[in-house]
Amino acid sequence: MDIQLLMRIERMTPPRWLTLSADVAAAKRLVAGGMIEATLETQVGTKAFATEAVLVRAITREGALVIASEKSCSWKKAALPTP
């Protein structure tokens, strides 16, 4: 899941905002893993309801290597002949 989000972030145009709770949780794991640089923001609504949003500033070198590896694996799978 986290790698799928990382690849989706790569395709997004700046500013890269993530607001879905599952995306925010995955983004926190990606930051902890050193794959992205991001800012976590808490947005307070009118009903005293707070939501978290993540602004992705950059994909780090480690994240770029994971993306390249994942793309390489998917290309290899696509190149295999079907029996």
Side-chain angles (χ1 to χ4, degrees), residues 4-80:
Q4 291 175 350
L5 177 63
L6 185 61
M7 294 181 74
R8 196 174 79 204
I9 290 170
E10 178 197 26
R11 293 188 304 267
M12 294 171 71
T13 57
R16 300 174 178 132
W17 283 99
L18 303 173
T19 55
L20 296 175
S21 61
D23 290 347
V24 170
K28 288 178 183 179
R29 291 190 297 271
L30 290 173
V31 168
M35 295 186 200
I36 62 172
E37 294 177 4
T39 303
L40 179 66
E41 295 188 8
T42 303
Q43 300 170 341
V44 179
T46 57
K47 298 178 182 179
F49 186 84
T51 58
E52 290 182 328
V54 173
L55 174 60
V56 179
R57 293 181 304 208
I59 297 174
T60 64
R61 182 177 183 277
E62 291 80 12
L65 290 173
V66 169
I67 291 170
S69 174
E70 186 68 21
K71 285 182 178 179
S72 174
C73 289
S74 67
W75 288 332
K76 288 178 185 175
K77 288 178 187 174
L80 290 176

